[in-house]
Amino acid sequence: MQNKGKRIVTVTMNPAIDLACTVPGFAAGAVNRVAGYQSDAAGKGVNIAGLLRKFDLPVTVSGFLGTENARIFEKRFADLGMTDEFVRVPGETRIGIKVLDPESKSTTDINFPGLAPDAKHMDRLAEIIEQLSIEAGIVVIAGSLPVGVAPDSVGRLIRIIKDQGAKAVVDTSGPALAAAVEAGPWLIKPNDAELAELVGRPMDSLDDMVAEARRMNASGIATVAVSLGARGAVFVEDGQAMLSQPPKIEAVSTVGAGDAMIGGLVAGMALGLPLKERVRMATALSAATVMQAGPALHDLNTAKTLEPRIAITTFQGGG
Ligand SMILES: Nc1ncnc2c1ncn2[C@@H]1O[C@H](COP(=O)(O)OP(=O)(O)OP(=O)(O)O)[C@@H](O)[C@H]1O
Ligand SMILES: [Mg+2]
């Protein structure tokens, strides 16, 4: 397949240092004791890149990184064998604290403010992405935008990626997703809530979601995935629509579920897998990620063993 062996680029404009702490019986307004914690260089594009490296695919990471606390990222990129093309921005990359309570099975998020890249940093990022898109097969833009970066910056990057002949994959939400869709990416993966916001009305039935996904597919987005949490995901490609359902699993942490699904779809494309096998692999990878703590899937085998238990049903018709 044409994407085989080609470099994959992931763009994270708003990365984060994830500090995950386990606090049994966590209570607001009280003194809470941390039973264990882990600090990770993260952000959606960085997580996706991590999964792609498990498949031994060549990966370059880009986006914006704060100069003050870049070390934890640089170490991860070096450890995992990723090429670092992040634009450095003065200040600190944001920290996101996740409090996991194993008793109530809840996650509490405390998100710090992030960097504020200016127009000059955005122009630099656009230049880097233009350069990288000449050789890359796929460029993934994932996550939210930092304060002050216009929603259409995603549209701008998509147009640059397409002009250089690469495929643009986008996972974002709100106005940035709307601007992305306008620019005609190659793949999007909104969840049900993001899709409802995009179309501007509630999406209650599966049929309704499939119809919207078909409409976007017909308008030029090659692959439209709509993820539905524990219910799995809907996929539309070349007018074909299918629902992929994971088996019932013990959910430990849903952090990184969406990233694993994107990573699986992109890896499947890079490996030249047909749609159904890509869908099966992506669903298994995301379910396996949910079965463990933290956004990074430790072992591809967990996903492999889930693959035969993924139920895929095809939707008939094409209207
Ligand atoms: N409880 C679960 N059990 C099995 N699989 C799950 C579960 N939750 C999520 N998944 C898998 O992960 C995929 C993505 O999850 P979800 O729809 O929650 O994405 P998301 O809302 O974009 O998540 P994120 O917060 O990572 O952006 C689902 O389509 C499904 O395949
Ligand atoms: Mg998501």
Side-chain angles (χ1 to χ4, degrees), residues 37-235:
Y37 69 96
Q38 195 181 327
S39 184
D40 287 303
K44 287 182 181 293
V46 175
N47 297 340
I48 292 165
L51 184 56
L52 295 172
R53 286 299 298 141
K54 295 237 176 231
F55 286 89
D56 259 334
L57 295 161
V59 178
T60 295
V61 286
S62 187
F64 299 121
L65 212 51
T67 49
E68 298 302 317
N69 54 359
R71 276 282 284 281
I72 182 171
F73 285 93
E74 289 160 353
K75 181 170 181 340
R76 180 161 182 207
F77 301 156
D79 287 350
L80 299 182
M82 302 166 180
T83 305
D84 173 9
E85 288 284 357
F86 268 88
V87 175
R88 300 304 194 268
V89 175
E92 282 189 19
T93 299
R94 71 200 168 116
I95 298 171
I97 301 178
K98 281 177 204 301
V99 182
L100 313 168
D101 179 356
E103 287 173 11
S104 67
K105 291 196 161 49
S106 69
T107 306
T108 305
D109 285 275
I110 302 168
N111 292 333
F112 285 47
L115 295 165
D118 60 25
K120 186 173 83 268
H121 298 119
M122 188 62 222
D123 289 344
R124 179 71 193 122
L125 178 63
E127 263 171 42
I128 289 172
I129 297 308
E130 179 167 29
Q131 199 57 40
L132 293 173
S133 297
I134 298 170
E135 299 290 333
I138 299 170
V139 182
V140 184
I141 304 167
S144 57
L145 298 182
V147 178
V149 172
D152 191 51
S153 302
V154 179
R156 176 183 175 189
L157 292 183
I158 293 170
R159 288 185 286 272
I160 289 170
I161 294 161
K162 285 167 69 175
D163 281 350
Q164 302 307 322
K167 295 179 160 78
V169 170
V170 178
D171 182 21
T172 186
S173 57
L177 176 59
V181 167
E182 197 70 28
W186 175 73
L187 181 150
I188 56 171
K189 188 223 64 70
N191 60 27
D192 44 359
E194 289 160 351
L195 177 66
E197 188 182 354
L198 179 66
V199 301
R201 63 184 172 81
M203 295 250 112
D204 302 321
S205 75
L206 208 54
D207 285 346
D208 200 4
M209 286 187 248
V210 172
E212 273 306 327
R214 280 195 194 278
R215 198 186 52 72
M216 288 192 277
N217 179 231
S219 79
I221 304 175
T223 309
V224 180
V226 182
S227 68
L228 309 166
R231 290 179 296 156
V234 162
F235 299 85

Side-chain angles (χ1 to χ4, degrees), residues 44 189 191 227-230 232-233 246 249 251 256-259 261 283 286-287 290:
K44 287 182 181 293
K189 188 223 64 70
N191 60 27
S227 68
L228 309 166
I249 50 122
D259 304 334
M261 173 150 278
T283 309
S286 56
V290 169

